[in-house]
PDB file of all heavy atoms in Angstrom:
ATOM      1  N   MET A   8      24.288   2.417  10.965  1.00  0.00           N
ATOM      2  CA  MET A   8      23.045   1.789  11.444  1.00  0.00           C
ATOM      3  C   MET A   8      21.887   2.766  11.331  1.00  0.00           C
ATOM      4  O   MET A   8      22.017   3.909  11.753  1.00  0.00           O
ATOM      5  CB  MET A   8      23.196   1.397  12.902  1.00  0.00           C
ATOM      6  CG  MET A   8      23.978   0.123  13.094  1.00  0.00           C
ATOM      7  SD  MET A   8      23.850  -0.320  14.813  1.00  0.00           S
ATOM      8  CE  MET A   8      23.784  -2.083  14.696  1.00  0.00           C
ATOM      9  N   MET A 132      23.245  -7.884  44.795  1.00  0.00           N
ATOM     10  CA  MET A 132      24.404  -8.676  45.231  1.00  0.00           C
ATOM     11  C   MET A 132      24.295  -9.115  46.691  1.00  0.00           C
ATOM     12  O   MET A 132      24.981 -10.042  47.116  1.00  0.00           O
ATOM     13  CB  MET A 132      25.697  -7.877  45.021  1.00  0.00           C
ATOM     14  CG  MET A 132      26.059  -7.690  43.571  1.00  0.00           C
ATOM     15  SD  MET A 132      26.410  -9.253  42.720  1.00  0.00           S
ATOM     16  CE  MET A 132      28.132  -9.482  43.174  1.00  0.00           C
ATOM     17  N   LEU A 134      21.539 -10.296  47.916  1.00  0.00           N
ATOM     18  CA  LEU A 134      20.494 -11.323  47.987  1.00  0.00           C
ATOM     19  C   LEU A 134      21.067 -12.704  47.685  1.00  0.00           C
ATOM     20  O   LEU A 134      21.938 -12.842  46.825  1.00  0.00           O
ATOM     21  CB  LEU A 134      19.372 -11.005  46.996  1.00  0.00           C
ATOM     22  CG  LEU A 134      18.620  -9.688  47.235  1.00  0.00           C
ATOM     23  CD1 LEU A 134      17.678  -9.391  46.083  1.00  0.00           C
ATOM     24  CD2 LEU A 134      17.849  -9.742  48.556  1.00  0.00           C
ATOM     25  N   LYS A 144      12.067  -4.848  27.697  1.00  0.00           N
ATOM     26  CA  LYS A 144      13.510  -4.991  27.435  1.00  0.00           C
ATOM     27  C   LYS A 144      13.877  -4.257  26.150  1.00  0.00           C
ATOM     28  O   LYS A 144      14.737  -4.700  25.385  1.00  0.00           O
ATOM     29  CB  LYS A 144      13.919  -6.457  27.367  1.00  0.00           C
ATOM     30  CG  LYS A 144      13.149  -7.300  26.368  1.00  0.00           C
ATOM     31  CD  LYS A 144      13.652  -8.747  26.442  1.00  0.00           C
ATOM     32  CE  LYS A 144      13.576  -9.434  25.115  1.00  0.00           C
ATOM     33  NZ  LYS A 144      14.125 -10.810  25.172  1.00  0.00           N
TER      34      LYS A 144
ATOM     35  N   MET B  98      24.334 -13.510  47.207  1.00  0.00           N
ATOM     36  CA  MET B  98      25.593 -13.510  46.450  1.00  0.00           C
ATOM     37  C   MET B  98      26.715 -12.885  47.273  1.00  0.00           C
ATOM     38  O   MET B  98      26.569 -11.809  47.835  1.00  0.00           O
ATOM     39  CB  MET B  98      25.433 -12.683  45.180  1.00  0.00           C
ATOM     40  CG  MET B  98      24.694 -13.391  44.099  1.00  0.00           C
ATOM     41  SD  MET B  98      24.923 -12.432  42.609  1.00  0.00           S
ATOM     42  CE  MET B  98      24.910 -13.707  41.387  1.00  0.00           C
ATOM     43  N   MET B 222      25.371   4.456  16.647  1.00  0.00           N
ATOM     44  CA  MET B 222      24.219   4.216  15.762  1.00  0.00           C
ATOM     45  C   MET B 222      24.328   4.978  14.448  1.00  0.00           C
ATOM     46  O   MET B 222      23.670   4.645  13.463  1.00  0.00           O
ATOM     47  CB  MET B 222      22.918   4.578  16.473  1.00  0.00           C
ATOM     48  CG  MET B 222      22.561   3.622  17.594  1.00  0.00           C
ATOM     49  SD  MET B 222      22.255   1.930  17.028  1.00  0.00           S
ATOM     50  CE  MET B 222      20.543   2.071  16.509  1.00  0.00           C
ATOM     51  N   TYR B 257      24.118  -4.487  23.584  1.00  0.00           N
ATOM     52  CA  TYR B 257      22.719  -4.890  23.411  1.00  0.00           C
ATOM     53  C   TYR B 257      21.936  -3.829  22.638  1.00  0.00           C
ATOM     54  O   TYR B 257      21.203  -4.136  21.695  1.00  0.00           O
ATOM     55  CB  TYR B 257      22.080  -5.119  24.784  1.00  0.00           C
ATOM     56  CG  TYR B 257      20.607  -5.433  24.739  1.00  0.00           C
ATOM     57  CD1 TYR B 257      20.155  -6.673  24.302  1.00  0.00           C
ATOM     58  CD2 TYR B 257      19.659  -4.496  25.154  1.00  0.00           C
ATOM     59  CE1 TYR B 257      18.799  -6.969  24.270  1.00  0.00           C
ATOM     60  CE2 TYR B 257      18.304  -4.786  25.133  1.00  0.00           C
ATOM     61  CZ  TYR B 257      17.870  -6.025  24.694  1.00  0.00           C
ATOM     62  OH  TYR B 257      16.530  -6.309  24.668  1.00  0.00           O
TER      63      TYR B 257
END
Side-chain angles (χ1 to χ4, degrees):
Chain A
M8 281 188 144
M132 290 297 276
L134 298 172
K144 55 181 212 177
Chain B
M98 283 192 148
M222 290 297 277
Y257 175 73

